[in-house]
Amino acid sequence: MTVEQARLPIGLFDSGVGGLTVLKALRQRMPCEDMLYLGDTARLPYGTKSSETIARYALQATSKLVERRIKLLVVACNTATSVALDTLREAYPGIPVIGVVEPGAQASCRASLQGRIAVIATESTIRGCAYHKAIHRLRPQAHIVGQACPLFVPLAEEGWVDGPIAESIAARYLDPIFKPASGSDRVETPDCLVLGCTHFPLLARAIRNVIGPDVVIVDSAATTAFAVHQELDARGLIHPQHGDDCGTTRFLTTDDVPRFARTGGLFLGTPIAPDEVELVDL
Ligand code: DGL
């Protein structure tokens, strides 16, 4: 690998701003890496679409990032990872491609003491059983329950991440798993909850208020950042610059730049100026 390649940015994409939760973890772990983030907000949500459509969108988003030149791709969307990870790897054999499902599965297997794991994600991710398969590969005896929570995506994009509305929607999805009716045969509730959608970490507080203090909540952001670091290191692709915070981040979006900047700042935890965001067409 050449120094020129090591200087290229890490590319990431998601259907919207959710993948910025992964970008934030990457920045924390590798502050000197440059990042190029694409949020396909014009076509959000991905999670309610067919596998064929999601795969097509994922290929188009990747093609845009590759055209701008990246050294590694992070599929910062569980839905696209579940459906299209292999397709993307086949289409771009020269670029390492890292998804978020395997790291999320690893995090849950480490965090769950009893191996009773609940996964919440989009309809598509739950339908494809991506987390079930990944967790069972690591921990074959695990007992897994999945729940699609599609309304969490627009709530997060809208910034309605806590308060009574977020909590009552969370309760509707999660009470049947964590507070089963007395007399029901599911007495053993999960000890770990995986946020299997990159939009969901923003709702962690509302979710916590519903499920109580004893369940461990995990997401894939930190473990994905670790996997990316390892992959770059193994390939000699770590950026040569040194410092505390020297990496730059550029943003691409397929719709409404001011809205992306506004809601994106919420996900990233630092403001995004509209002039850091470029409108692109896929
Ligand atoms: N943030 C995405 C995920 O991790 C999907 C949200 C959506 O577009 O439905 O699955």
Side-chain angles (χ1 to χ4, degrees):
M1 291 295 165
T2 64
V3 176
E4 198 225 338
Q5 269 172 308
R7 288 184 187 281
L8 293 175
I10 296 169
L12 304 92
F13 80 87
D14 178 45
S15 57
V17 289
L20 293 172
T21 54
V22 179
L23 173 63
K24 187 176 172 189
L26 286 181
R27 268 183 175 179
Q28 274 162 2
R29 186 160 195 106
M30 293 167 283
C32 287
E33 294 294 339
D34 296 331
M35 315 272 175
L36 179 61
Y37 181 91
L38 167 62
D40 189 8
T41 49
R43 303 190 293 192
L44 174 120
Y46 281 8
T48 52
K49 309 246 169 15
S50 69
S51 300
E52 293 72 22
T53 299
I54 296 164
R56 182 158 49 86
Y57 289 177
L59 278 164
Q60 290 169 342
T62 304
S63 159
K64 178 60 73 184
L65 290 168
V66 169
E67 183 187 301
R68 300 289 177 104
R69 301 199 65 212
I70 54 171
K71 62 181 172 184
L72 179 145
L73 175 72
V74 180
V75 185
C77 171
N78 289 270
T79 307
T81 300
S82 313
V83 169
L85 190 66
D86 293 340
T87 309
L88 296 175
R89 285 183 171 149
E90 277 162 31
Y92 295 95
I95 294 181
V97 181
I98 302 220
V100 284
V101 171
E102 192 67 41
Q106 283 168 8
S108 71
C109 289
R110 270 202 293 270
S112 171
L113 286 179
Q114 281 128 3
R116 294 196 313 273
I117 300 171
V119 180
I120 55 172
T122 63
E123 284 173 32
S124 169
T125 304
I126 295 297
R127 192 173 59 230
C129 293
Y131 269 95
H132 285 62
K133 291 176 199 157
I135 292 171
H136 272 149
R137 272 197 297 276
L138 298 165
R139 197 161 172 177
Q141 308 304 328
H143 179 267
I144 306 159
V145 52
Q147 171 66 51
C149 301
L151 283 177
F152 282 173
V153 176
L155 274 181
E157 289 275 336
E158 195 59 37
W160 288 16
V161 291
D162 45 24
I165 296 174
E167 283 184 27
S168 68
I169 293 172
R172 180 76 185 261
Y173 287 136
L174 298 171
D175 279 353
I177 299 173
F178 291 96
K179 297 174 190 159
S182 57
S184 112
D185 49 4
R186 199 197 287 147
V187 275
E188 304 236 84
T189 55
D191 67 348
C192 175
L193 174 67
V194 188
L195 307 183
C197 171
T198 53
H199 281 75
F200 294 1
L202 237 70
L203 288 131
R205 192 160 44 185
I207 292 169
R208 168 65 73 207
N209 287 345
V210 168
I211 64 174
D214 298 333
V215 180
V216 187
I217 299 178
V218 297
D219 66 60
S220 45
T223 12
T224 300
F226 179 73
V228 170
H229 195 179
Q230 276 193 318
E231 187 72 28
L232 290 178
D233 200 19
R235 292 174 180 257
L237 283 174
I238 300 275
H239 200 296
Q241 65 194 348
H242 298 289
D244 286 340
D245 190 15
C246 45
T248 60
T249 305
R250 286 182 298 134
F251 303 95
L252 310 175
T253 185
T254 51
D255 197 24
D256 200 338
V257 166
R259 184 179 171 81
F260 179 93
R262 200 172 57 245
T263 53
L266 206 71
F267 278 71
L268 208 49
T270 52
I272 299 175
D275 62 7
E276 295 175 87
V277 187
E278 183 187 339
L279 185 65
V280 294
D281 192 13
L282 305 182

